[in-house]
Amino acid sequence: MTELEFIEEIAEGNLTKNDIIKYAESVCDREDLLLNIFAHMSYLNTVNSKIIHCVDEHSVPTGEIKVENGIRYPEEQKRLSKAIDDIEAYFSISLFDDDKANKDVFLFPKIFDNDYCFLLYGFLKNNNLICNNTDYSDFQYWFRCNNKENPKPIVWIGTKQLARELLEYLFKERIKPFADIERIVSKCFINKKGEPMKLAKNKTKYSFESDAIKNFFSDNAIK
């Protein structure tokens, strides 16, 4: 069972507390597991904004709600929250109450595995969007694919607009609000002068690099 499948099984109510603890025992980085469960809760919270109240009394009982795909996300979030509590209590760890968690706030959310990370890294180097000397282990760290000590920021040599387009393809539909991603950028990326980077205001205009980014994500969807 993959980690994503595990989290989805928790959300659906298909796992007991013992099942959850047994899986967590098999994981090397339980704090990372907690972060990913929490990230899935946050994702469901954005979907909750699509909840619609059903007013047709002939279709559902009065006061019942549905969402666009028929799943009641608040119940799934409760199950995920309880799983976090159970794992924290059993292993005596905490998601947010230590220095490491505070540092993790300035990492991009983990949304892909190491295979995809390597693919993205190669694409950005080959298209002269990040410095050619960027160490892969540094790149992995900022996208939560390793736990490197003292990583260097990624040197972005493309335009600020291209950085925005890249990160919007990665995170805009997964992480809300996108402003949370914008705040992380200055910690993970620096420009060619070594200064913390900020994203450009969104003014999309055609360029070869912009088209390449679009095609990359079209050809390599994150699963």
Side-chain angles (χ1 to χ4, degrees), residues 111-128:
I111 60 170
F112 49 66
D113 59 17
N114 269 307
D115 289 340
Y116 195 96
C117 189
F118 185 75
L119 191 67
L120 179 62
Y121 168 77
F123 166 77
L124 295 176
K125 284 185 65 175
N126 293 337
N127 285 272
N128 297 314

Side-chain angles (χ1 to χ4, degrees), residues 75-134:
E75 292 303 315
E76 296 195 357
Q77 289 176 298
K78 289 178 185 176
R79 296 184 191 114
L80 291 167
S81 179
K82 186 177 185 306
I84 289 175
D85 291 342
D86 289 341
I87 293 171
E88 287 181 327
Y90 188 88
F91 294 102
S92 299
I93 58 177
S94 179
L95 182 55
F96 292 118
D97 291 341
D98 56 27
D99 292 338
K100 182 179 184 300
N102 290 332
K103 183 175 69 173
D104 281 352
V105 170
F106 299 108
L107 304 181
F108 289 119
K110 184 175 176 64
I111 60 170
F112 49 66
D113 59 17
N114 269 307
D115 289 340
Y116 195 96
C117 189
F118 185 75
L119 191 67
L120 179 62
Y121 168 77
F123 166 77
L124 295 176
K125 284 185 65 175
N126 293 337
N127 285 272
N128 297 314
L129 294 173
I130 61 174
C131 179
N132 194 52
N133 294 329
T134 302

